[in-house]
Amino acid sequence: RTLEAEQPDQPLLYFSKKRLVDGDLQPLAKEDTYVRTVSYGCSLINGVAFGCTMVFNRAVKELFMDFTPHSKYMHDVLLYRAVAALGTVVYDPVPHIDYRQHGGNVVGAGKTGFLKWKSRFANLCKRGEDHSRSLCAKDILAAFGDRMSAGDRKLTEQLALCHESFSKKMGLLFNPRLTAQ
């Protein structure tokens, strides 16, 4: 059974949980990111789909054949967000890979507790157009806005323009569609 066989014209993306291990490939006590639900609103807040666990169909490949990002952000986050808006995302809670954690990880499971919340608050309060979520939303709108549902397009526009004022940021903070994992 393949993603192609399910619905060949609809963008489909699969990703799974990772097993976190140390440099000696011993399992860590810390679990991988908990994925409570997969939805477009959640994808805009949390990039829980890691490229090393992703498989996607030809329809996703076709979406991105002519895509050129205007900003820098994680490519796997963009894939996850675009497919969540335009197709179907399948999450597998069973880990199928070991994800090695070490001091030099660019992305990983290093922050916990207070440091994680401090970082999230600092990211939310950034000024200007340097926020990766907002920049990614702008690129998604430019590339795929005409294919999105009206509700997803409106939500994406709100995120893309949130840097314009504190009240717009607060509006996103209390938006029920934007739920963190």
Side-chain angles (χ1 to χ4, degrees), residues 39-84:
S39 70
Y40 183 58
C42 284
S43 78
L44 292 174
I45 298 299
N46 298 109
V48 296
F50 281 67
C52 58
T53 70
M54 286 183 182
V55 177
F56 51 86
N57 68 354
R58 190 169 282 115
V60 174
K61 176 186 171 191
E62 295 299 322
L63 280 176
F64 288 94
M65 288 299 291
D66 297 321
F67 177 81
T68 302
H70 295 96
S71 303
K72 294 180 183 177
Y73 38 78
M74 303 300 274
H75 62 279
D76 46 2
V77 170
L78 172 69
L79 277 170
Y80 172 46
R81 289 176 181 164
V83 176

Side-chain angles (χ1 to χ4, degrees), residues 5 12 21 32 57 63 73 78 80 83 93 116 121 135 153 171:
L12 297 168
V21 297
D32 188 23
N57 68 354
L63 280 176
Y73 38 78
L78 172 69
Y80 172 46
V83 176
K116 184 184 285 189
F121 185 76
L135 296 172
R153 188 171 44 255

Side-chain angles (χ1 to χ4, degrees), residues 91-155:
Y91 170 66
D92 183 352
V94 177
H96 297 286
I97 69 161
D98 289 343
Y99 190 71
R100 189 168 52 107
Q101 299 292 288
H102 53 80
N105 277 36
V106 173
V107 177
K111 294 180 185 170
T112 59
F114 176 74
L115 291 177
K116 184 184 285 189
W117 283 103
K118 180 180 173 185
S119 174
R120 285 181 181 170
F121 185 76
N123 284 337
L124 178 66
C125 294
K126 279 185 179 179
R127 299 278 181 210
E129 295 187 32
D130 62 345
H131 197 279
S132 66
R133 286 184 184 99
S134 177
L135 296 172
C136 186
K138 285 180 183 181
D139 277 351
I140 288 173
L141 272 177
F144 312 116
D146 60 332
R147 300 180 200 177
M148 298 171 78
S149 71
D152 285 349
R153 188 171 44 255
K154 181 179 179 186
L155 183 62

Side-chain angles (χ1 to χ4, degrees), residues 12-28:
L12 297 168
L13 181 138
Y14 161 95
F15 75 100
S16 71
K17 186 176 185 171
K18 306 173 304 299
R19 182 177 13 270
L20 302 178
V21 297
D22 64 17
D24 297 320
L25 302 181
Q26 296 303 307
L28 296 174

